[in-house]
Amino acid sequence: ERQIAAGALAQVELSASQSELERRKDTFYANLDALNTIENGLKALLSPNRDSEIWKDEIVPSEKRPSMPSDLEPLADAVKTALRKRPELRQVAQRREANEVQTRFNRDQLKPQVNLVGTYVNSGLAGSLSTADNPFSSSNVAIYERLNQLSANAGLPPVVPPSFGALPGFLIGGYGQALQSLFGGRFPSVQVGFQLDLNLRNQTAQANLAQTLITDKRLNFEKARSEQIIDMQVRNALQSLQANRQRITAAESAVKAAQEKLDSEIRLFQTGESTNFLVLTRQNELLESRRRSVVAQLEYNKAVARLEQAKGETLETYQISIK
């Protein structure tokens, strides 16, 4: 405005400055809205519920430059580490182990089976005497009575009916006598034998065996595919890490050069040898260079995270344990 008042600049230069100012305000508010959205998303990840105290605070990003290792890890070592630590391969290995057990079982089902069968039974026998007639001898009572009458008429001695004898004392009693007989091992029963199962065409076992063999081939293909994907992920992460490290160096050089151009343009503007438009242009170039530098650092951090993920070391790097 002072140069316009002095006649060194045209009035249109003021309009151009005001237009650029409003454009930058619009960009500022748009980025502020995006920042608030990202901040709320981060709070949602950090807070257990909507009543957490973190919702009342403002999250201020800290300026932290990414660590720049001088030498990158060799590809072969990184792939070897990934193949050892990635959980996908351990899961496939466990599934293959379970399938191998099932395969051995199904193959055994095709063989004849000979089983040794043995049983041992110990019974507890006891009870009270029955007052009813013996069913084996009661039917012959009338015959023996008639026979003895005829023997008496003929002067012959009577015929004594046969007797089954009295029951032994250990069979006479109640529940306690039965338990004593059981645990005393008085009435053991032992059976021993062989059982032969011969199925010449066990189609069910053959089908189960074929299914497990197909599953084994599928798991081998899955293992090879997972290893290939892991190798590709490690390669991409290492290449991205190297490329973004070079991007950071180039972006920092661009910021330095843009700052020097802006300082030079300001000095020319102050002596009347430049225009307001050129100064604003140099400012925009500097801001764009700074943005590219921040983006390069962001992409480098992402590449580091992707490499840790590809190698299966994310939890180990940040000392996170899962119980």
Side-chain angles (χ1 to χ4, degrees), residues 304 308-309 312-320:
V304 172
E308 293 172 351
Q309 180 183 9
E313 294 181 340
T314 302
L315 300 181
E316 180 181 345
T317 301
Y318 295 99
Q319 300 179 356
I320 299 175

Side-chain angles (χ1 to χ4, degrees), residues 60-72:
V60 180
S62 60
E63 293 288 345
K64 184 178 180 181
R65 295 178 57 83
S67 58
M68 302 277 290
S70 57
D71 297 326
L72 294 179

Side-chain angles (χ1 to χ4, degrees), residues 66-272:
S67 58
M68 302 277 290
S70 57
D71 297 326
L72 294 179
E73 184 179 6
L75 175 61
D77 296 341
V79 172
K80 184 178 179 180
T81 301
L83 295 178
R84 186 178 70 255
K85 294 185 176 182
R86 286 289 288 268
E88 300 97 313
L89 295 180
R90 291 200 298 268
Q91 182 181 11
V92 173
Q94 292 174 355
R95 291 166 57 191
R96 290 185 61 194
E97 183 178 356
N99 188 72
E100 289 176 359
V101 174
Q102 188 65 35
T103 301
R104 291 197 299 269
F105 173 78
N106 292 331
R107 186 174 284 112
D108 289 340
Q109 298 303 305
L110 298 176
K111 302 177 181 178
Q113 297 184 14
V114 179
N115 298 322
L116 175 63
V117 181
T119 59
Y120 175 82
V121 179
N122 196 16
S123 303
L125 302 179
S128 59
L129 290 175
S130 176
T131 58
D133 295 335
N134 191 335
F136 297 102
S137 60
S138 60
S139 61
N140 297 325
V141 172
I143 297 175
Y144 279 102
E145 289 179 353
R146 181 62 177 169
L147 179 61
N148 289 332
Q149 289 179 0
L150 295 176
S151 298
N153 294 333
L156 298 176
V159 178
V160 180
S163 176
F164 291 96
L167 291 176
F170 56 80
L171 289 178
I172 301 175
Y175 183 68
Q177 183 65 27
L179 293 178
Q180 183 179 359
S181 177
L182 174 64
F183 292 105
R186 190 176 294 274
F187 302 104
S189 176
V190 179
Q191 293 181 356
V192 179
F194 288 93
Q195 180 180 357
L196 176 62
D197 186 4
L198 180 59
N199 192 343
L200 299 180
R201 295 189 62 184
N202 192 342
Q203 296 182 355
T204 301
Q206 292 176 355
N208 293 335
L209 178 60
Q211 183 65 35
T212 53
L213 294 177
I214 293 174
T215 302
D216 183 68
K217 292 181 180 180
R218 182 174 59 82
L219 290 175
N220 289 332
F221 290 144
E222 184 175 349
K223 178 176 179 292
R225 181 175 178 273
S226 298
E227 291 178 348
Q228 185 178 19
I229 292 176
I230 291 174
D231 186 279
M232 179 193 67
Q233 291 175 349
V234 174
R235 288 175 181 271
N236 291 340
L238 284 175
Q239 293 171 356
S240 178
L241 198 65
Q242 184 176 6
N244 284 288
R245 184 171 61 176
Q246 296 172 350
R247 285 183 60 185
I248 291 176
T249 303
E252 290 176 348
S253 301
V255 170
K256 182 178 180 181
Q259 183 66 53
E260 293 176 353
K261 289 170 61 177
L262 175 60
D263 295 339
S264 175
E265 202 67 42
I266 291 176
R267 290 193 298 268
L268 292 175
F269 178 76
Q270 291 173 347
T271 59

